[in-house]
Structure formats: structure tokens, C-alpha cells
Amino acid sequence: MGKPIDRIMEGGSKKKYGLFMIHGFSGSNEEFKDLDEFFKNKGVAVKIPMLLGHGTTPEDMITRSPEDWVRQMEKELDEFSGQAENIFLGGISFGGNLAIRIAGKNNNIRGLFLLGTVIYFYHHFWGKLFIPILRHFKTCYTKRINPKHFFEKSAMDRRKAYPVVPLKNVAEMFRYIDRRTKKELPLVDIPTMILHSAHDSAVNPKSAKYIFENIGSKIKILKWIGNSHHNLVIDKPRQEVFQIMYDFMIKNAKNL
């Protein structure tokens, strides 16, 4: 784990399209192998770095913050920006929140993909209220994974994430959504594709509606995906999701 998925400069030529993706909170870039293969076959340059504190141990994650991840992704994106004429930025789950921050202040991004991005969790109010208190008594919580939430059995094998999550980081995530994401959505003015599972059991689907209504983009599309777990890049309709993203990329690229 931890190796960047980076398909760039094949044959030394600059590509027309580039896709920079950010994985989710406590997840891994290893979940993007099918996405990487799909876009590589389309001739798209792809980079999906591993967020600091991920792909190692949950104890390593405790030492990191959302601001660390934003700085890391900005540096990685800057290094990637010369690999293609049209750079599209995206993120899944909380990775989308980080992407919103970056897109709001980066003038070189052509478009934005937000997959299952979080504004509201289920029981969001109680989580925001009690997790900052619980973190002083308990270091981590254990995730509850229900196989019934996956529409394709093999999706469970493609899922790569920590089985436990530090409550310190969860509390920071709640604060980041309120203090950063909600305030910075109006600053995003590039074409945006919002994809969300209609059966999302982790992030409340009203998150997608909030993003659609509050993002500053003039060109914005909200697409509901059926028969999928929260993580749209590993479950049954993933190839459909990749095709939707690619079509959006082609449509909104600059004519060079």
C-alpha cells in the first residue's frame, strides 16, 4: 500500500486530459485500480496519491489533519499539472471536501468531480455534538461493515480502508465541513459533476442536494447512481460511473 497510482507522460508527450483524484477518509488509493485502468485505456493521465497517515496504521493518521492533506494534495497537483492540457480534479467522500477547497483557489483546474462527498452524515447532529467529547475517553472507533450494503460481492475485496478510525480525526472532519466546505462551496466556479449513490448508507444523500444548490459553478450536474455502496469506484455500477466522468471530461475540456 501507499504507492501513487500515476499514469503520466507515456511516450514523453503531454496528454490532452488529466485526472487527479483524492481518496476518502481512512481509505486508500488502492480502491481506484479499476478507475485507473479505465482512464488509462482512454489515454488520460491519472494520479491518485495516498493521503498522509493512510496506508500505514491508524496511529499514523492521528498525527495528521485536513489542513495537512490539503497542503499535500496541492503540492501533488502542482507537480501533476504539467502532464495534461485539461486537468480535472475529483474526490470521493471526504476526499471531495478536500477537492472543493483546492478547486476554490486553483485557476488551472478545468472541472471537478464530487463522488459521495459529505455535508451530512446520518445522525450528523449527534455525531458533531458527542464525538469531540468521546475522543477524550476513547482513541478509536471500530467501523461496522454490513455486506448487505454492497451490491456486488467482489466490491468487499476492492474495499481498502482502516478497520478503525481515530476519533480525533473524526472530530476534525466535522469541524472542517462546517468551517471550510460549506463556506467555500460558493467559491467554486468550474464545471462540476456531482455523483451520489441513491442507496448511500454512510453519507446522507441530502449532502449531494446541498452541494448542488450551494456550489458557485454555472455548469453543474447532479447524477444519482443506483445499485451501489457509498464508494462509487468499487461497487457494481463503477464502469458506468467512469463513463459518466469521462463524457463530462470530454464535453468540458478546452478546444486545443
Side-chain angles (χ1 to χ4, degrees):
M1 295 177 69
K3 294 182 179 179
I5 297 177
D6 195 350
R7 310 287 188 179
I8 56 178
M9 298 295 285
E10 294 179 7
S13 61
K14 193 171 186 179
K15 295 186 178 297
K16 185 172 183 179
Y17 309 109
L19 177 61
F20 186 100
M21 292 292 294
I22 306 175
H23 68 76
F25 182 84
S26 78
S28 168
N29 60 5
E30 289 194 351
E31 296 179 326
F32 289 77
K33 289 181 179 179
D34 288 348
L35 178 144
D36 178 60
E37 180 179 6
F38 176 92
F39 281 94
K40 178 185 69 174
N41 290 336
K42 297 288 189 181
V44 177
V46 180
K47 186 167 187 177
I48 310 159
M50 184 79 83
L51 291 171
L52 294 170
H54 292 68
T56 53
T57 66
E59 289 74 22
D60 188 20
M61 187 176 176
I62 293 175
T63 67
R64 308 298 182 175
S65 72
E67 297 299 334
D68 292 332
W69 298 328
V70 169
R71 286 191 292 269
Q72 177 200 0
M73 291 299 102
E74 287 179 327
K75 181 180 179 181
E76 297 263 13
L77 179 60
D78 183 62
E79 293 172 354
F80 178 68
S81 62
Q83 309 307 319
E85 299 291 347
N86 291 274
I87 300 292
F88 286 76
L89 171 65
I92 191 162
S93 197
F94 189 66
N97 297 74
L98 303 177
I100 288 168
R101 175 84 185 279
I102 296 167
K105 55 180 182 175
N106 190 315
N107 296 324
N108 297 319
I109 302 301
R110 184 60 189 159
L112 180 64
F113 296 110
L114 300 175
L115 285 66
T117 299
V118 57
I119 299 295
Y120 303 106
F121 290 103
Y122 291 98
H123 310 298
H124 190 91
F125 173 81
W126 298 110
K128 188 165 66 172
L129 182 64
F130 287 113
I131 286 175
I133 299 172
L134 288 174
R135 59 167 290 200
H136 296 292
F137 302 94
K138 187 176 181 180
T139 302
C140 295
Y141 84 91
T142 301
K143 296 179 181 178
R144 297 178 181 178
I145 305 302
N146 187 344
K148 293 181 180 179
H149 292 160
F150 295 83
F151 286 76
E152 189 171 86
K153 185 176 290 187
S154 59
M156 288 284 290
D157 298 326
R158 287 187 287 273
R159 182 181 178 275
K160 307 294 180 183
Y162 288 146
V164 300
V165 178
L167 287 171
K168 172 257 187 187
N169 298 101
V170 177
E172 290 176 341
M173 179 169 55
F174 274 98
R175 287 198 300 271
Y176 187 92
I177 293 168
D178 284 342
R179 298 178 184 180
R180 293 294 190 187
T181 305
K182 289 183 177 179
K183 293 180 179 180
E184 293 170 350
L185 273 171
L187 303 179
V188 178
D189 61 358
I190 56 177
T192 300
M193 167 65 76
I194 304 161
L195 297 113
H196 206 104
S197 169
H199 306 99
D200 198 323
S201 60
V203 172
N204 194 314
K206 71 179 183 179
S207 297
K209 294 180 181 178
Y210 182 96
I211 292 170
F212 182 80
E213 292 170 359
N214 290 276
I215 199 164
S217 306
K218 294 181 177 65
I219 299 173
K220 54 185 178 180
I221 298 173
L222 170 55
K223 177 73 174 178
W224 296 103
I225 304 297
N227 302 314
S228 179
H229 171 59
H230 165 63
N231 191 332
L232 294 171
V233 303
I234 65 172
D235 214 340
K236 188 175 182 178
R238 60 193 181 282
Q239 295 296 326
E240 173 192 350
V241 169
F242 304 156
Q243 188 65 53
I244 290 170
M245 293 172 64
Y246 180 72
D247 291 344
F248 184 84
M249 179 182 288
I250 299 302
K251 185 174 182 178
N252 290 281
K254 295 178 181 177
N255 295 319
L256 300 172

